[in-house]
Amino acid sequence: MVKTGVILAAAGRGERVGSEIPKQFLKLAGAPVFIHTLSVFESHPGISEIVIAVPPGWEEEVASSLRRRGFRKVARVVSGGNTRQASVKRALENLSPGVELVLVHDAARPLVSHTLVSQLLRTLEREGAALCAVPVRDTVKLVRSGRVERTIPREGLWLAQTPQGARRAWLEEAYRKAGEREFTDEAALLEAAGFPVCVVPGDPLNFKITYPEDLKLAEVLLTLDIRRNL
Ligand code: C5P
């Protein structure tokens, strides 16, 4: 079996949620958000190791919380950078030598499921690079200063989620080629480097906790244990 590593991006400050503590460390449904997220990868048979990027200063606390909870696949806790891209790059440099496929996932998406991870892994093994995404459901407006400038046809528009991933060699090359240019996800980096990226239908429930209301919704869904039974 191909050795697959997961990079968990958990080094953001999550300012839009409006809390002192970064959103990925807030407690929801009995555990911090990032623990809910990690558990999905820890318990997935296709994943061999996890490297997690955390904000500088959080390394010890996170490492000891993982030890206490008995996580076995987390190989390293690294300190992240100023951007998501810098955090993922640092984690990528810390994956074990034998890892050939890499998934990247936002710690702030705790509702990821085994089904989604398995579907992504299947596509990755076949195609080399892929991301989870959902088709845009609503009509899209370009708005400036509170007025509609125009309506953008939604046909062919998809919203990118994580997990995303690629062959390790592709991802490393994409990071090398990106240099100082900033991208908001790995798929964009891979596209810019000229690699073909496949789309796997994602899940609307796999949303990213971004605003305070997302915390409430995630708490309800986690309490219902909605993903774990899939
Ligand atoms: O800020 P945003 O919600 O887009 O962040 C997406 C994910 O990337 C979050 O899980 C966040 O913790 C992570 N991140 C990171 N390093 C940064 C900024 C964000 O790992 N410098």
Side-chain angles (χ1 to χ4, degrees), residues 17-143:
V17 155
S19 120
E20 291 266 300
I21 302 174
K23 58 187 176 185
Q24 62 276 27
F25 301 127
L26 291 174
K27 214 166 174 187
L28 287 191
V33 170
F34 83 102
I35 294 289
H36 289 290
T37 317
L38 261 184
S39 312
V40 177
F41 296 99
E42 172 81 19
S43 58
H44 193 292
I47 303 301
S48 3
E49 86 168 25
I50 303 166
V51 173
I52 165 165
V54 301
W58 281 81
E59 301 85 345
E60 263 318 300
E61 194 168 331
V62 167
S64 76
S65 150
L66 295 176
R67 272 195 302 274
R68 234 180 15 251
R69 294 170 192 269
F71 281 88
R72 291 165 171 272
K73 291 186 186 169
V74 182
R76 269 163 293 278
V77 177
V78 301
S79 63
N82 283 333
T83 60
R84 184 181 176 285
Q85 186 172 328
S87 301
V88 172
K89 184 165 185 260
R90 206 157 296 166
L92 186 60
E93 288 160 358
N94 279 279
L95 281 171
S96 300
V99 170
E100 289 177 65
L101 274 186
V102 183
L103 297 190
V104 181
H105 186 66
D106 296 330
R109 292 183 192 268
L111 289 144
V112 59
S113 66
H114 271 192
T115 311
L116 207 53
V117 173
S118 301
Q119 280 164 355
L120 182 68
L121 284 178
R122 270 198 295 278
T123 305
L124 265 183
E125 282 172 20
R126 204 177 55 234
E127 308 285 347
L131 81 152
C132 294
V134 287
V136 169
R137 305 174 173 200
D138 301 327
T139 301
V140 182
K141 307 285 184 191
L142 182 67
V143 177

Side-chain angles (χ1 to χ4, degrees), residues 200-219:
V200 171
D203 185 338
L205 285 185
N206 178 33
F207 61 88
K208 184 172 68 177
I209 296 174
T210 307
Y211 298 109
E213 58 271 27
D214 300 331
L215 285 169
K216 292 191 198 132
L217 184 57
E219 169 126 56

